[in-house]
Amino acid sequence: MALPGARARAWGWTAAARAAQRRRRMEGAGGSPSPEPGGPRAALYVHWPYCEKRCSYCNFNKYIPQGLEEAAMQKCLVTEAQTLLRLSGVQRVESVFFGGGTPSLASPHTVAAVLDAVAQTAHLPADSEVTLEANPTSAPASRLAEFGAAGVNRLSIGLQSLDDTELRLLGRTHSASDALRTLAEARCLFPGRVSVDLMLGLPAQQVGPWLGQLQELLHHCDDHLSLYQLSLERGTTLFAQGALSTHNWTYWQCGQYLGIGPGAHGRFMPQGAGGHTREARIQTLEPDNWMKEVMRFGHGTRKRVPLGRLELLEEVLALGLRTDVGITHQHWEQFEPQLTLWDMFGANKEVQELLERGLLQLDHRGLRCSWKGLAVLDSLLLTLLPQLQEAWQQRAPSPVPGG
């Protein structure tokens, strides 16, 4: 709920002062940018697990709050962010993404506190991308402005549909008019930095009307559209179009990222353990248990899975091919300096067939899907992943590269 009157203005002044202080800390006392650290870099994902209600299609880790003590949640998010930043040895945070759940239900104070903690523990450049997911009914213009004062500079709006019947089917609490109003307000506050989610493949949905919704959205916002295909059994699949999201790009490029908050996922190389292995980490799902663990241990990591080099290469392949750039030779070499993309895939007959059919391209730039191939990527991976595994088994041992 937006803060009224003088209280809202006081919050705005306080947040602006804190943001200015944070910028000064990032840039150094002299007003010029401080030298960038040369150590590990990562993106940071912050999970806010609470929603007003559970939508009919959603299987994410989210909860309907009952007597939520936000101060305790805020303290735990701050503590876990600091703990994992120190544990990972990350010295520069490239982007921060507040996801959920519905993080626009959180207080802007919580967002500011997390960003302050990140800036105190690592280098957070003043122009870093800071994204907040927002639902139309939880984000009036005054509240969006407060988030902007807290340090948010990019919004991801969970619009999903411009058809009121479809929105009711999905269990959304907003109408199409609510969505367009919030979108217009967001674009005024965050020009060029607004992302919109649109869902496709709903029951009884027709291609023509859906394309009409897409065209209308492009008229209102062509910064960044994320198209989600509804799958009742397996969740949704993200396809990004338009303006590049720094945070998403880190995922697709298999960069390090830290996940803080209940049920958040991360991929990073812990420091101080004498190893050189990246880990997949999952934080405890249930918020109350997660908070207890954070207060006791400094973080709520429930599961740690070391990623072998083959597993990491499988992720590089599967995620990199989701983009139109694909996997460049230089990017592949960062993870596998001995066996090139040509070594892995150049001589395989099944891969050659995919190349001849125009589904894949392997050339001086690297390996990538054609537009036709992107539409059937999952089926292409049924050929590429076994070939990667076979080539890996035949390779000679080589030193483990850094994470």
Side-chain angles (χ1 to χ4, degrees), residues 46 51 58 63 132 144 211 285 292 295 351 368 371 393 396:
V46 183
C51 283
C58 181
Y63 303 85
L132 180 89
L144 294 180
L211 287 174
L285 290 173
K292 291 176 183 176
M295 289 186 283
V351 175
R368 62 195 178 279
W371 286 113
Q393 291 168 359

Side-chain angles (χ1 to χ4, degrees), residues 269-338:
M269 182 182 297
Q271 303 293 306
H276 300 280
T277 302
R278 188 181 295 206
E279 291 182 352
R281 290 191 168 219
I282 303 176
Q283 309 309 98
T284 294
L285 290 173
E286 204 280 327
D288 290 342
N289 290 336
W290 171 80
M291 283 194 279
K292 291 176 183 176
E293 293 176 18
V294 172
M295 289 186 283
R296 183 176 180 184
F297 304 113
H299 64 86
T301 302
R302 176 59 60 91
K303 187 176 183 180
R304 300 170 54 184
V305 180
L307 296 176
R309 288 186 59 200
L310 176 58
E311 292 174 294
L312 187 54
L313 289 178
E314 290 171 342
E315 291 193 353
V316 172
L317 182 69
L319 294 174
L321 288 179
R322 294 186 181 193
T323 70
D324 56 357
V325 174
I327 307 162
T328 67
H329 293 292
Q330 295 82 359
H331 182 65
W332 180 264
E333 188 178 356
Q334 294 178 23
F335 297 91
E336 175 44 58
Q338 286 199 343

Side-chain angles (χ1 to χ4, degrees), residues 150-338:
V152 171
N153 57 29
R154 181 176 182 271
L155 283 181
S156 176
I157 301 176
L159 187 148
Q160 310 308 353
S161 175
L162 288 178
D163 183 286
D164 286 340
T165 301
E166 291 179 351
L167 289 170
R168 287 192 294 270
L169 174 67
L170 294 171
R172 305 297 286 177
T173 59
H174 66 271
S175 66
S177 60
D178 292 332
L180 292 176
R181 182 179 63 252
T182 299
L183 177 57
E185 293 168 346
R187 294 199 73 196
C188 289
L189 291 166
F190 303 93
R193 296 199 123 189
V194 177
S195 170
V196 176
D197 297 343
L198 181 65
M199 191 171 287
L200 58 96
L202 277 62
Q205 189 177 58
Q206 300 296 312
V207 173
W210 181 83
L211 287 174
Q213 292 187 45
L214 179 59
Q215 290 174 340
E216 183 174 359
L217 267 184
L218 287 171
H219 175 72
H220 289 281
C221 177
D222 60 358
D223 300 336
H224 181 126
L225 266 68
S226 293
L227 309 181
Y228 291 84
Q229 179 174 338
L230 178 65
S231 175
L232 297 180
E233 294 78 21
R234 303 172 66 181
T236 59
T237 303
L238 172 67
F239 293 92
Q241 295 183 355
L244 178 67
S245 164
T246 302
H247 196 86
N248 289 352
W249 189 249
T250 298
Y251 293 156
W252 306 149
Q253 292 288 285
C254 272
Q256 294 196 106
Y257 60 95
L258 312 181
I260 70 170
H265 287 233
R267 293 279 196 282
F268 66 88
M269 182 182 297
Q271 303 293 306
H276 300 280
T277 302
R278 188 181 295 206
E279 291 182 352
R281 290 191 168 219
I282 303 176
Q283 309 309 98
T284 294
L285 290 173
E286 204 280 327
D288 290 342
N289 290 336
W290 171 80
M291 283 194 279
K292 291 176 183 176
E293 293 176 18
V294 172
M295 289 186 283
R296 183 176 180 184
F297 304 113
H299 64 86
T301 302
R302 176 59 60 91
K303 187 176 183 180
R304 300 170 54 184
V305 180
L307 296 176
R309 288 186 59 200
L310 176 58
E311 292 174 294
L312 187 54
L313 289 178
E314 290 171 342
E315 291 193 353
V316 172
L317 182 69
L319 294 174
L321 288 179
R322 294 186 181 193
T323 70
D324 56 357
V325 174
I327 307 162
T328 67
H329 293 292
Q330 295 82 359
H331 182 65
W332 180 264
E333 188 178 356
Q334 294 178 23
F335 297 91
E336 175 44 58
Q338 286 199 343

Side-chain angles (χ1 to χ4, degrees), residues 11 15 18-19 21-23 25-26 44 46 74 77-78 81-82 85 93-98 107-126 128-132 146-154 260:
W11 152 245
R18 292 177 71 180
Q21 184 181 49
R22 190 161 59 238
R23 285 193 296 272
R25 187 162 56 241
M26 295 168 191
L44 180 69
V46 183
Q74 178 189 123
L77 288 171
V78 165
Q82 293 174 325
L85 282 168
V93 174
E94 303 276 20
S95 63
V96 182
F97 192 101
F98 291 87
S107 164
H109 287 283
T110 293
V111 170
V114 172
L115 293 175
D116 284 344
V118 173
Q120 291 169 7
T121 312
H123 180 61
L124 180 65
S128 292
E129 179 187 277
V130 179
T131 304
L132 180 89
E146 291 168 8
F147 282 119
V152 171
N153 57 29
R154 181 176 182 271
I260 70 170

